Amino acid sequence: MYKGKKILALIPARGGSKGIPGKNIKSLAGKPLISWTIDAAKQSDYIDHLIVSSDDDNIINTAMEYGCDAPFKRPKHLAQDSSASMDVVMHALGQIEETYDYLLLLQPTSPFRTTSHIDRIIEHTIDTETKVVVSVTQSKKHPAFMYTLEENKLCPVLGHQKQKRRQDMPQVYEHNGALYLADISYLKEVKSYNVDGVGAFLIDPLHSIDLDEPLDWDFAEFLIDKGVFH
């Protein structure tokens, strides 16, 4: 709880994973990937209840082993490649009888997001009375230097315009998937994290690493081997 506001934290972790098979419980530096997120959340000063939403018994059992609650099992139709994450969120909220003020979504594929990040986004969101705040990372590329392909021809994403030097371009940011915090009443109304007035919580690139492909995993192991994370 922070300033009288109760915080529910949700870890969405389905069983099917094509990029890295079984990644949510795959061992990273000697412990299951999901446990990195559980450990960070359990040390938070403000999270009142930490739960996992999964369709997979192995994931549920692993999460519980590391101290995460699993009050329900996610139905299979919400655990497909095409399943919308907001449907998963709404399902989870519908399964919880106790009342909470804010929902913090913690994807297990962001193992280097820290307890400090968790507590600071909660403080920032409630202190500023912002309805939705998401974590972002400074993007390496400006969209002015990005293109689509049409009949093998480059088409500027922002249309044809005179390009400035990279250092003269305004800085841009991208969602990193590590933290999504929202007022629950508002979230139930808008059913989206992409609405006007969304707040930004900046995280540096290393702590923002998202494990989606095997190369991401290899890089994470490299950083751990080098002592950057442990």
Side-chain angles (χ1 to χ4, degrees):
M1 184 179 291
Y2 179 68
K3 292 188 174 179
K5 303 297 185 181
K6 292 184 67 176
I7 314 297
L8 172 67
L10 170 66
I11 301 175
R14 69 186 182 94
S17 174
K18 293 181 179 178
I20 305 174
K23 67 180 175 182
N24 286 319
I25 53 176
K26 180 180 171 68
S27 179
L28 179 65
K31 62 181 185 179
L33 176 63
I34 195 172
S35 72
W36 288 73
T37 293
I38 294 172
D39 289 346
K42 286 184 63 181
Q43 296 177 62
S44 167
D45 289 331
Y46 307 130
I47 290 175
D48 295 282
H49 193 187
L50 173 65
I51 65 173
V52 64
S53 169
S54 182
D55 62 308
D56 186 280
D57 289 335
N58 289 328
I59 292 175
I60 290 172
N61 292 335
T62 300
M64 293 177 65
E65 178 184 343
Y66 280 86
C68 181
D69 193 12
F72 58 84
K73 187 173 182 179
R74 192 196 306 183
K76 288 294 184 182
H77 74 273
L78 292 178
Q80 308 301 314
D81 289 340
S82 59
S83 299
S85 60
M86 188 53 61
D87 289 340
V88 174
V89 169
M90 290 298 122
H91 172 264
L93 291 175
Q95 304 301 305
I96 302 299
E97 294 183 359
E98 193 170 353
T99 300
Y100 296 89
D101 298 293
Y102 284 83
L103 175 73
L104 176 62
L105 188 67
L106 299 169
Q107 301 198 96
T109 50
S110 298
F112 303 136
R113 163 241 297 114
T114 68
T115 302
S116 176
H117 293 132
I118 289 172
D119 284 350
R120 285 194 290 116
I121 194 174
I122 291 172
E123 293 169 350
H124 168 74
T125 302
I126 295 175
D127 288 347
T128 59
E129 299 182 346
T130 308
K131 295 296 185 183
V132 181
V133 176
V134 302
S135 58
V136 298
T137 304
Q138 186 172 309
S139 179
K140 291 183 178 180
K141 294 286 186 180
H142 192 280
F145 299 100
M146 296 181 182
Y147 303 84
T148 59
L149 282 178
E150 295 182 13
E151 297 182 352
N152 208 37
K153 303 293 184 181
L154 289 175
C155 298
V157 169
L158 298 183
H160 293 282
Q161 56 181 289
K162 184 177 180 180
Q163 287 189 346
K164 301 178 181 178
R165 296 184 307 163
R166 178 183 57 80
Q167 56 267 41
D168 294 332
M169 303 293 286
Q171 186 56 59
V172 294
Y173 301 86
E174 57 185 300
H175 287 192
N176 60 27
L179 297 160
Y180 297 83
L181 183 61
D183 177 290
I184 290 177
S185 296
Y186 181 72
L187 190 62
K188 287 181 176 179
E189 177 186 338
V190 299
K191 292 183 172 61
S192 176
Y193 291 105
N194 297 307
V195 293
D196 291 339
V198 173
F201 181 79
L202 185 62
I203 299 180
D204 65 273
L206 281 181
H207 286 94
S208 299
I209 292 172
D210 179 42
L211 305 190
D212 187 45
E213 301 293 338
L215 187 59
D216 302 327
W217 194 281
D218 291 343
F219 184 47
E221 290 186 326
F222 168 79
L223 292 174
I224 292 170
D225 288 344
K226 289 295 183 180
V228 178
F229 298 111
H230 54 81

